[in-house]
Amino acid sequence: MTADEPAWAGPAFWAGAEPDEVLRALPPAAEGAHKRRTAAVYRSVTHLLRHADPGERARLLALEAARFGRMGLAAAFTALAAPADAADRPPGQRPATWQVAWATGRQADERLLAVLDRDALRPVLGELDGRVVAVDTDSYGGVRARDVLTGARMAGFAAGHGARVVAVLDAAGTPLVLTGHERRGPDGLPDAGRYGDTVRAWHLRTGEPAGAPLVVDRGRITTAASAEADGRTVVVTGGWDGLVRSWDLATGRELAEAADGHGDWVACVATAVVRGRPLALTAGREDRDVLVRDLLTARPVGAPLTGHTAPVTAVATVTEDDGRVLAVTASRDATARLWDLTTGRPLGGPLAGHDGPVEAMTAARWAGRTLVVTGGRDRTVRTWDPVTGRQQADAFTGHHQPVEQVAVASDAGRPVLVARAFDGLVRGWEPAARRRPVEAPADHDGTVTALAPACLDGRRLAVAGLLDGTVRVWEAADGPRGARTLTRHRGTVHAVTTAVVAGRTLVLSAGEDEVIRISDLAAGAESAVPLDCPEAWPGALAMAAVPDGVRVLMGGRDGTVRVWDLASGEADGPPFTAGGRCVRVITSALVEGRTVLVTGHADHTVRRWDLVDRSPLGPAMAGHRRGVDGAVTTVVDGRSVAVTSAGHDRSLRVWDLATGCPIGDALRGHRRVTALAVTSHAGRALAVSGDEGSVRIWDLATLREAAPPLPVPYGVHTLAAYPDATLLLAFAEELALYKPSP
């Protein structure tokens, strides 16, 4: 930091100050490339920093800086984390620390302006006083509206217990929010299917009621839009019953008989005025066509908008400067389409670019042009030029859940894209900026579903199974940019494991094609005939050494374990029943001279078996309260132990494999355990576990955390640990490598 730079330009301020203080000090446009890019790093995790201590903030910002390609900044944040962590330790005791060596930036986006933390699961986007707001309800029926870009509360009022937000509407320039109120039965529980639903309209700014309630006798209102017709505000709604209704908002009366034509509940509705005639456009959850009706009479107007090959998920309308009215539709066929509502004809070809269903869409006029914005199950937001049918910029990234709603906002005269994801988080981007930094971090082109460490000729390698069915390998220290493909499955790879057999490093992978593929890491290709494994279960794959060779182990949904001789590829006896329901995880260890098989089951138990004679070793090991889905083995102070996890059980348990007895109390601290591995550091055996927002490292001798948690911005879904305590994490679509500090 130079003498003329403000205090906020230094990493110490970013990591130490309160998030609101940083955001207030931050210039609106963050002038200068360095400041703008540092601001993007900070904004991407602001919602996570508010509840973190200084050490956690610095560690999280270090990972974010690495994701954005700012390794110098990452090192500065790591240096800041060490003193902050030491302050929480007894005098003279220095905690072990891990520092990020590299991270991918597949979801990093320097155009990010804000992330609005979730107060509710699925807020609804709307507009108030020229700002895009997220509107939701609390558990007491209070309606809240917050500015998406600043987080400031814009409005709030009481709508009544059990209220839910149906839609945010613009009624002749007046912002309204519609809340649904399912009527309750004699038991006091809401039951819209039996007792109906009531929708009430409120002035979003003041909380005053607007018009009369809209009442349906049975079913629930799922979506709504509004239009001005004959000098009154008309609300059109779609419901669970597949019916479309038009209402006079002032009186609460239906203007025509409810219209059907949808095979399932109504998923989307929009309105338009074409040549003075108000129209309603609707589609059901399983409809591939959009029906066009007169808003006041509910009679069909022209032919349906037909062309999608999968159900329509969203519909919007926009009026161009020449008066032409366009409809835009989105679909699960991964495209959006445009239509001229005057003629009912499509305009151009489909807007194609999403990798999966398009779940959200809007259209707006900006700077004299029509802007189409789509959001998809691929977790991206894309903008389109409807004239050329081309994308106008790189996809906008950052969400790690499917995008369910999009909007266009104005901020200081510039357009801003806003999107809400399935998890309730709302992000905003500046379309005109650049997405990726010049020094882009190590990248990869697929979602990792399984990881395993490997060593070859003294080199540390990473082996990954991907969603696209490939198994890839790369130099762990360098990142996945130069990854090569070992083999390919048909469908997602469920599990990978590695072992050294007769001097060869082998990789075994199991996928949706229900085969286990065997690859030679040195040769870089498959080296044996695949093993047939019907009823394969994700993650329940292992190898174990026995006196006469190596066995391949696969746990099945049917509660059995299949065993193959790796050398011959032949089954080593028939499958044996491992007890309990569904073998969800399997591993092995050498215990007192014999190979012991450890299985984790859906019935919450862990079991031990003698692999040679397939006999159980003692009773089932009970203690978990959920299905066991993680199990690893190691040696602690000369005895073989297993560490197990069970997802929402929120804890790890350590077992003595010789006796089957638990060792100490459960290791607690996670919200949900999603990944598990073992390693060692400075002569200590460590367990490493991941959850929806952190990685924790446990000393298995003391049963305490060996280091402060490593915070991550997305949920960890798999991890691999090398013998020297180097950690490879997969979280959302990202990867990161951590090394222990000297």
Side-chain angles (χ1 to χ4, degrees):
M1 183 176 70
T2 61
D4 59 346
E5 284 183 317
W8 70 266
F13 183 69
W14 291 98
E18 291 298 320
D20 289 340
E21 183 182 357
V22 174
L23 293 176
R24 283 194 299 269
L26 186 64
E31 297 89 346
H34 169 76
K35 298 175 184 178
R36 184 176 63 253
R37 296 178 59 203
T38 305
V41 170
Y42 190 85
R43 285 175 174 136
S44 66
V45 289
T46 303
H47 60 297
L48 301 174
L49 300 176
R50 300 184 190 280
H51 309 294
D53 61 42
E56 288 175 318
R57 291 179 190 169
R59 292 193 299 277
L60 183 56
L61 287 167
L63 175 57
E64 284 301 283
R67 289 182 57 231
F68 280 79
R70 306 286 303 282
M71 293 309 300
L73 187 61
F77 282 130
T78 299
L80 290 171
D85 292 333
D88 296 332
R89 297 274 172 147
Q93 183 179 356
R94 183 178 179 182
T97 58
W98 272 254
Q99 59 190 23
V100 60
W102 56 258
T104 59
R106 185 172 170 84
Q107 293 173 275
D109 197 330
E110 288 191 351
R111 298 167 295 187
L112 187 70
L113 292 175
V115 181
L116 183 65
D117 200 1
R118 49 180 169 259
D119 269 358
L121 184 58
R122 295 182 185 177
V124 175
L125 300 180
E127 187 173 332
L128 178 62
D129 296 336
R131 307 288 292 182
V132 171
V133 293
V135 184
D136 58 29
T137 57
D138 59 27
S139 56
Y140 301 100
V143 175
R144 304 164 297 185
R146 291 190 297 161
D147 188 307
V148 165
L149 299 181
T150 67
R153 186 172 175 130
M154 300 281 287
F157 59 90
H161 184 70
R164 71 183 189 281
V165 177
V166 175
V168 180
L169 309 176
D170 183 348
T174 301
L176 302 178
V177 57
L178 300 185
T179 59
H181 307 258
E182 297 175 49
R183 295 202 288 280
R184 298 172 180 266
D187 57 3
L189 298 177
D191 190 342
R194 182 176 301 176
Y195 302 108
D197 195 13
T198 300
V199 171
R200 294 184 171 91
W202 313 81
H203 291 279
L204 182 55
R205 185 180 295 104
T206 65
E208 294 295 320
L214 316 179
V215 179
V216 293
D217 293 331
R218 292 181 184 274
R220 187 185 195 198
I221 299 300
T222 56
T223 184
S226 66
E228 299 302 307
D230 294 341
R232 56 186 170 180
T233 298
V234 177
V235 175
V236 56
T237 64
W240 269 356
D241 53 10
L243 298 179
V244 177
R245 296 175 170 88
S246 295
W247 311 78
D248 183 330
L249 182 61
T251 65
R253 295 178 179 176
E254 291 189 57
L255 299 176
E257 184 178 353
D260 57 13
H262 299 295
D264 209 324
W265 53 270
V266 181
C268 51
V269 59
T271 62
V273 178
V274 179
R275 294 178 177 174
R277 187 177 195 177
L279 303 178
L281 289 74
T282 60
R285 186 175 65 122
E286 298 298 332
D287 294 348
R288 299 182 181 184
D289 304 334
V290 175
L291 303 183
V292 183
R293 296 187 177 93
D294 187 292
L295 186 64
L296 302 179
T297 66
R299 294 175 180 172
V301 176
L305 307 182
T306 302
H308 285 293
T309 59
V312 173
T313 56
V315 60
T317 61
V318 61
T319 302
E320 298 196 301
D321 294 342
D322 60 3
R324 186 172 62 159
V325 182
L326 305 182
V328 190
T329 57
S331 168
R332 293 183 205 161
D333 64 8
T335 71
R337 289 177 176 267
L338 286 94
W339 316 80
D340 186 333
L341 282 182
T342 304
T343 64
R345 295 176 179 174
L347 295 174
L351 309 180
H354 282 281
D355 183 17
V358 181
E359 303 284 1
M361 180 272 305
T362 191
R365 294 290 292 172
W366 189 270
R369 301 181 66 185
T370 296
L371 178 66
V372 175
V373 183
T374 57
R377 201 173 292 178
D378 61 0
R379 301 173 288 276
T380 66
V381 173
R382 300 170 189 264
T383 57
W384 308 85
D385 184 334
V387 176
T388 65
R390 297 177 180 174
Q391 289 191 59
Q392 294 185 319
D394 291 337
F396 297 83
T397 60
H399 280 303
H400 70 291
Q401 293 285 333
V403 175
E404 292 193 326
Q405 192 178 7
V406 292
V408 180
S410 175
D411 184 60
R414 58 181 174 173
V416 174
L417 304 181
V418 177
R420 173 186 56 80
F422 177 80
D423 60 1
L425 286 178
V426 181
R427 282 176 164 81
W429 300 268
E430 181 183 5
R434 184 183 60 202
R435 180 201 165 192
R436 300 298 296 275
V438 174
E439 60 273 22
D443 211 348
H444 65 114
D445 58 358
T447 300
V448 171
T449 55
L451 284 174
C455 291
L456 181 67
D457 300 331
R459 297 148 49 212
R460 190 165 44 205
L461 304 178
V463 180
L466 274 68
L467 189 68
D468 64 7
T470 59
V471 177
R472 301 181 189 176
V473 60
W474 66 85
E475 299 280 348
D478 298 337
R481 188 185 298 277
R484 69 180 191 274
T485 299
L486 274 179
T487 187
R488 183 182 297 273
H489 288 266
R490 294 189 303 275
T492 302
V493 178
H494 289 159
V496 293
T497 187
T498 63
V500 178
V501 180
R504 295 191 305 158
T505 302
L506 300 182
V507 176
L508 272 66
S509 56
E512 284 186 355
D513 50 5
E514 297 187 339
V515 298
I516 298 173
R517 299 186 182 275
I518 304 169
S519 304
D520 187 309
L521 198 55
E526 287 191 51
S527 59
V529 176
L531 306 177
D532 234 3
C533 58
E535 296 296 322
W537 184 258
L541 173 67
M543 283 189 280
V546 293
D548 63 346
V550 177
R551 299 293 183 263
V552 179
L553 311 169
M554 171 62 73
R557 295 184 181 94
D558 57 1
T560 64
V561 174
R562 289 168 170 80
V563 184
W564 294 267
D565 184 306
L566 181 61
S568 66
E570 299 295 328
D572 184 14
F576 72 93
T577 301
R581 291 188 297 113
C582 179
V583 181
R584 303 182 69 174
V585 65
I586 191 168
T587 188
S588 67
L590 188 64
V591 182
E592 298 177 347
R594 61 181 172 182
T595 302
V596 172
L597 178 64
V598 181
T599 56
H601 299 265
D603 65 358
H604 310 177
T605 63
V606 180
R607 299 170 188 261
R608 298 173 300 142
W609 307 85
D610 186 309
L611 183 56
V612 174
D613 60 20
R614 317 291 166 86
S615 60
L617 300 175
M621 297 142 65
H624 286 293
R625 295 175 296 174
R626 297 290 190 275
V628 178
D629 52 14
V632 290
T633 60
T634 188
V635 177
V636 180
D637 295 334
R639 62 177 173 178
S640 296
V641 304
V643 185
T644 59
S645 63
H648 285 288
D649 192 8
R650 300 187 177 186
S651 63
L652 308 179
R653 293 185 178 271
V654 185
W655 311 87
D656 186 324
L657 285 179
T659 65
C661 296
I663 300 174
D665 296 328
L667 309 181
R668 302 187 184 279
H670 285 294
R671 291 172 290 179
R672 171 176 170 249
V673 183
T674 57
L676 183 62
V678 288
T679 184
S680 62
H681 179 56
R684 297 180 295 168
L686 304 177
V688 185
S689 52
D691 68 9
E692 295 170 347
S694 68
V695 171
R696 293 178 181 267
I697 303 167
W698 310 85
D699 187 322
L700 292 177
T702 64
L703 300 183
R704 295 181 179 178
E705 289 193 67
L710 302 174
V712 292
Y714 308 113
V716 177
H717 49 82
T718 186
L719 61 85
Y722 293 86
D724 64 351
T726 296
L727 308 177
L728 180 60
L729 317 180
F731 49 100
E733 296 182 29
E734 306 284 22
L735 292 165
L737 186 76
Y738 277 88
K739 293 182 177 181
S741 299

